[in-house]
Amino acid sequence: AAPRPAHGCGSGALLGRFGVLLQALLALCAFSTLMLKRFKEPKAERRPWRIWFYDTSKQAIGALFIHFANVFLSDLTEEDPCSLYLINFILDATLGMLLIWLGVKVVSWIVQHKKYTYLVFGEYGDPPQAAAWIGQCILYLLIMVFEKTVISFVLLIPGWTKLQQILLGYIPNPQLELVLVMLVVPFIVNAIMFWVVDSLIMRKYKQKDTLDINGSIETPQTRRTEESQVLLSPDMDFDQSESDQDISGLQGTNQKMKQPSYQVVI
């Protein structure tokens, strides 16, 4: 049997009964922040439940992939799996967050350049199409795979063992270490990450199309264009009384011009 570490949780503790219970509690608490974020949105811009589910489920799939990848990588060695998991998690929350942001920006630019409308994050069509959601889930999962691959190469750099001893070496109780690694720290960091990533991949409702009374689509840009066209139009309608006064004034001027003029010659 593999020797247990002098401190920390043993091999397989992350997938034990207590570890699985903590992970389920973590998922419930972390995704509650996305629910809170939805109710914090202005009522005029608040996403319908279906759109909200499409947006947040992409994060759920990506978070599950990252979580189980970290669990698998943490059990590859005979070292403390809790500290290894924590190192993976910290790297995901720092360097990984930067990679996710970069990946979302690059993918969004590519799909907009290629005019793949349904692959733009947050755009699902009207009515929302499940095919668009599936395509965006695949793109987001590819970003997660890229992020986790880079983090795995970073972990190959020597010197992480010393950091493991510094992080959790002072905690003698394995269950307390498991609670810190699987619940307390991930909840705080995941709440921030979910909030930021949701803002990245959701539709920017400040640019949302609005419907006018006649049912035609009107955007702020088109509204400004129409207003400028009205102001600059040479065929503007004037008030009837003003036009009558102008006509009468013109007629009076013509009559004055027709009157004979007299010159006095000395």
Side-chain angles (χ1 to χ4, degrees):
R4 289 180 176 272
H7 60 83
C9 57
S11 178
L14 299 180
L15 294 177
R17 183 177 299 179
F18 186 63
V20 172
L21 178 63
L22 291 177
Q23 294 172 49
L25 185 61
L26 169 65
L28 180 63
C29 294
F31 283 103
S32 65
T33 60
L34 293 174
M35 185 81 68
L36 176 64
K37 183 177 182 297
R38 180 185 181 272
F39 287 110
K40 285 290 185 180
E41 297 171 358
K43 290 185 178 180
E45 302 173 2
R46 187 173 296 169
R47 291 167 289 179
W49 283 110
R50 187 175 182 181
I51 302 298
W52 177 85
F53 170 76
Y54 281 170
D55 287 340
T56 56
S57 59
K58 292 195 289 285
Q59 282 208 73
I61 294 173
L64 286 174
F65 168 77
I66 294 296
H67 171 73
F68 287 111
N70 289 341
V71 171
F72 172 75
L73 293 173
S74 300
D75 272 334
L76 285 180
T77 65
E78 297 178 358
E79 299 179 7
D80 179 13
C82 288
S83 57
L84 279 175
Y85 181 88
L86 185 60
I87 290 174
N88 274 279
F89 188 81
I90 292 174
L91 287 174
D92 289 329
T94 52
L95 177 60
M97 191 67 215
L98 178 62
L99 294 173
I100 292 171
W101 175 83
L102 181 62
V104 169
K105 291 297 183 181
V106 171
V107 169
S108 299
W109 181 84
I110 292 174
V111 297
Q112 289 178 1
H113 181 70
K114 297 292 185 181
K115 297 181 180 181
Y116 298 146
T117 306
Y118 285 164
L119 293 181
V120 177
F121 287 121
E123 297 288 347
Y124 306 102
D126 187 16
Q129 303 292 325
W133 169 70
I134 294 173
Q136 293 177 32
C137 284
I138 295 173
L139 285 180
Y140 188 73
L141 187 59
L142 290 176
I143 294 174
M144 295 296 102
V145 172
F146 165 73
E147 182 266 344
K148 196 67 235 178
T149 302
V150 174
I151 296 299
S152 300
F153 281 113
V154 172
L155 283 172
L156 296 178
I157 301 174
W160 293 109
T161 305
K162 294 181 179 179
L163 182 59
Q164 290 176 235
Q165 297 173 357
I166 296 173
L167 287 175
L168 298 172
Y170 58 90
I171 300 177
N173 191 335
Q175 290 190 341
L176 178 59
E177 182 176 343
L178 198 59
V179 170
L180 289 173
V181 170
M182 300 298 294
L183 183 60
V184 178
V185 177
F187 169 69
I188 298 173
V189 179
N190 272 330
I192 299 173
M193 288 182 62
F194 286 165
W195 199 291
V196 173
V197 175
D198 186 60
S199 300
L200 283 175
I201 64 178
M202 68 179 288
R203 181 180 180 181
K204 302 302 181 288
Y205 277 81
K206 292 182 180 179
Q207 301 174 355
K208 181 181 177 182
D209 296 344
T210 57
L211 294 176
D212 62 7
I213 299 176
N214 297 326
S216 60
I217 297 177
E218 183 183 20
T219 62
Q221 183 178 1
T222 57
R223 192 183 302 114
R224 289 193 299 270
T225 304
E226 291 174 0
E227 291 174 357
S228 61
Q229 289 176 353
V230 170
L231 292 174
L232 297 175
S233 174
D235 299 329
M236 294 175 61
D237 294 332
F238 297 91
D239 186 79
Q240 185 66 30
S241 60
E242 294 178 358
S243 62
D244 294 340
Q245 293 176 2
D246 294 341
I247 293 173
S248 61
L250 290 173
Q251 292 176 350
T253 304
N254 291 333
Q255 290 176 359
K256 291 180 179 179
M257 292 177 65
K258 291 179 181 179
Q259 291 178 357
S261 59
Y262 299 94
Q263 297 179 355
V264 179
V265 178
I266 300 177

